[in-house]
């Protein structure tokens, strides 16, 4: 009887160990540990939560401190840092290529159409990188700095936070042509938006959630000039309401005289709060960019329903925004692309 009991206990122990192993695997997958191929990437690029806990334990604290100082001095910088991460990931994956200056070997992405005289925050990243190199040289990639800085910028303006997946490598090159081709423009119609996100494995819901990043920040008159021409975005046959007419009139006054560099808030109601007001603005016809307003006026019922969901439920927006940011942050460089940890985010080592 004793032998049978010991045998039974052994089987039970083995069963419990197997279940624990499976649970750890599920937990690791849910939290982002392990390997992600991404669109166009090869399996083997490891992303983990709290990756630098041993190699650079103050890494995320240093990044947060740099972002906090920058946003305290200029709240608009939060949107700029979020946008840097977005524009980085949309060009050959999240590899820090957007930070590279032009070189004899390539034309960088900073002068591409969607980025020229528009992207900001490079000096903030430079300062953070200097601190990290002094604390733990050669450990934290510039691409990871962008991912953590974007998260912290959102949180500092009242938005959600999430566990940052880390372990990206910095690219050895950049692509101005890919930036021009892949980054959605401010005048994109709905079909173009859905297509560009879909090519990266991002769904229409991801697209609408990530567009909610426009609840903070500003845009120049040159970015929303098509909104001033009076034609509905996407060609939808709608008659502008009184609120929209007044909104467009105010924009026209701002931009009169060819002042293409004047700035307008992307969210005119709560411009420095990360909230769901952006979606209410769209439903009221007062989205600033054509690529914003087209989410409602583009004639796609599925997309419109998502906008309505987020306008009614800020927590639904926050949850989907977090999930979409993590998903976007997993976008990989093309298969076979070499990478490194840059000492200076503007140039390869």
């Amino acid at each position: 009887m004793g032998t049978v009991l010991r045998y039974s206990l052994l089987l039970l122990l083995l069963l419990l160990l197997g279940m624990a192993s499976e649970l750890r695997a599920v937990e690791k997958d849910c939290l982002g540990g392990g390997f992600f191929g991404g669109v166009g990437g090869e399996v083997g690029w490891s992303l983990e939560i709290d990756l630098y806990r041993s190699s650079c334990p103050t890494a995320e604290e240093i990044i947060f401190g740099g972002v906090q100082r920058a946003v305290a001095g200029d709240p608009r910088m939060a949107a700029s840092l979020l946008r840097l991460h977005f524009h980085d990931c949309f060009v050959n994956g999240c590899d820090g290529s957007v930070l590279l200056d032009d070189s004899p070997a390539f034309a960088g992405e900073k002068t591409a159409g969607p980025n020229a005289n528009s992207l900001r925050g490079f000096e903030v990243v430079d300062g953070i990188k200097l601190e990290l190199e002094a604390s733990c040289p050669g450990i934290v990639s510039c691409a990871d700095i962008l991912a953590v800085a974007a998260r912290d910028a959102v949180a500092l303006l009242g938005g959600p936070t999430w566990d940052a997946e880390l372990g990206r490598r910095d690219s050895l090159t950049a692509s101005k042509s890919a930036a021009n081709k892949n980054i959605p423009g401010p005048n994109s119609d709905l079909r173009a938006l859905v297509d560009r996100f879909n090519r990266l494995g991002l769904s229409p819901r991801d697209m609408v959630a990530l567009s909610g990043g426009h609840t903070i920040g500003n845009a120049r008159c040159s970015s929303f000039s098509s909104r001033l021409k009076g034609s509905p975005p996407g060609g939808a046959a709608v008659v502008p309401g009184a609120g929209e007419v007044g909104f467009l009139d105010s924009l026209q006054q701002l931009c009169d005289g060819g002042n293409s560099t004047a700035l307008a808030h992307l969210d005119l109601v709560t411009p420095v709060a990360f909230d769901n007001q952006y979606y209410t603005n769209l439903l009221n016809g007062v989205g600033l960019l054509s690529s914003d307003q087209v989410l409602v006026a583009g004639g796609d019922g599925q997309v419109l329903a998502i906008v309505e969901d987020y306008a009614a439920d800020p927590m639904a927006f926050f949850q989907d925004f977090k999930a979409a940011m993590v998903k976007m942050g997993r976008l990989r460089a093309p298969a076979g692309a070499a990478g490194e940890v840059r000492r200076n985010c503007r140039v390869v080592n």
Side-chain angles (χ1 to χ4, degrees):
M1 186 69 179
T3 302
V4 173
L5 180 59
R6 285 194 297 272
Y7 182 70
S8 298
L9 289 173
L10 178 60
L11 286 177
L12 179 59
L13 178 61
L14 290 172
L15 178 61
L16 290 173
L17 287 172
M19 290 175 64
S21 177
E22 289 182 11
L23 285 171
R24 284 193 297 271
V26 170
E27 181 184 42
K28 187 175 184 182
D29 183 62
C30 290
L31 292 178
F35 298 91
F36 300 95
V39 175
E42 58 191 4
V43 174
W45 190 38
S46 178
L47 290 180
E48 299 178 23
I49 292 169
D50 203 18
L51 175 68
Y52 302 120
R53 61 186 174 274
S54 298
S55 58
C56 188
T58 60
E60 294 193 47
E61 179 183 336
I62 289 172
I63 297 171
F64 177 79
V67 174
Q68 186 178 43
R69 291 190 296 272
V71 173
D74 176 10
R76 183 183 164 211
M77 189 56 70
S80 299
L81 293 171
L82 174 60
R83 192 161 177 252
L84 273 179
H85 181 46
F86 182 94
H87 283 222
D88 181 39
C89 292
F90 262 63
V91 182
N92 295 327
C94 310
D95 61 0
S97 61
V98 73
L99 302 173
L100 287 170
D101 290 337
D102 291 355
S103 80
F106 57 80
E109 296 162 22
K110 294 178 180 178
T111 57
N115 298 336
N117 302 313
S118 174
L119 286 186
R120 304 167 67 241
F122 298 108
E123 294 80 9
V124 176
V125 176
D126 291 340
I128 291 171
K129 184 61 174 173
L130 279 173
E131 286 191 62
L132 288 169
E133 287 299 300
S135 179
C136 41
I139 299 297
V140 183
S141 69
C142 300
D144 276 352
I145 293 174
L146 289 181
V148 177
R151 177 199 64 184
D152 292 347
V154 168
L156 283 167
L157 292 193
T161 189
W162 55 93
D163 290 324
E165 296 181 345
L166 304 170
R168 299 167 187 81
R169 306 291 286 179
D170 295 324
S171 66
L172 304 182
T173 187
S175 177
K176 181 177 180 179
S177 61
N180 282 321
K181 178 181 178 182
N182 295 337
I183 298 172
N187 298 319
S188 299
D189 62 26
L190 188 56
R191 178 174 294 181
L193 289 173
V194 171
D195 178 63
R196 292 199 182 188
F197 279 77
N198 182 63
R199 273 186 267 161
L200 297 177
L202 298 169
S203 69
R205 181 168 290 273
D206 296 326
M207 182 266 291
V208 179
L210 291 171
S211 295
H214 284 177
T215 189
I216 55 175
N218 300 71
R220 299 175 186 270
C221 288
S222 56
S223 297
F224 55 84
S225 57
S226 63
R227 286 284 276 142
L228 305 179
K229 296 176 182 178
S231 58
V238 296
V239 178
E244 184 176 5
V245 171
F247 172 66
L248 296 179
D249 284 346
S250 68
L251 295 181
Q252 190 67 63
Q253 293 176 23
L254 173 69
C255 302
D256 266 352
N259 187 7
S260 63
T261 61
L263 293 172
H265 294 303
L266 287 163
D267 173 1
L268 77 165
V269 180
T270 56
V272 292
F274 196 97
D275 55 22
N276 67 328
Q277 181 64 43
Y278 165 83
Y279 299 102
T280 300
N281 293 345
L282 299 187
L283 295 174
N284 291 333
V286 293
L288 182 63
L289 306 179
S290 287
S291 58
D292 291 327
Q293 196 58 46
V294 78
L295 300 182
V296 167
D300 187 312
Q302 177 191 11
V303 169
L304 174 59
I306 298 170
V307 171
E308 292 172 335
D309 286 346
Y310 293 162
D313 187 350
M315 289 301 102
F317 164 49
F318 278 14
Q319 289 299 321
D320 285 356
F321 182 82
K322 292 191 298 182
M325 286 294 291
V326 171
K327 190 173 177 181
M328 183 184 75
R330 294 173 177 172
L331 295 177
R332 290 288 313 281
E340 64 181 6
V341 175
R342 289 187 218 129
R343 293 186 293 270
N344 179 339
C345 292
R346 295 175 180 262
V347 296
V348 298
N349 294 340

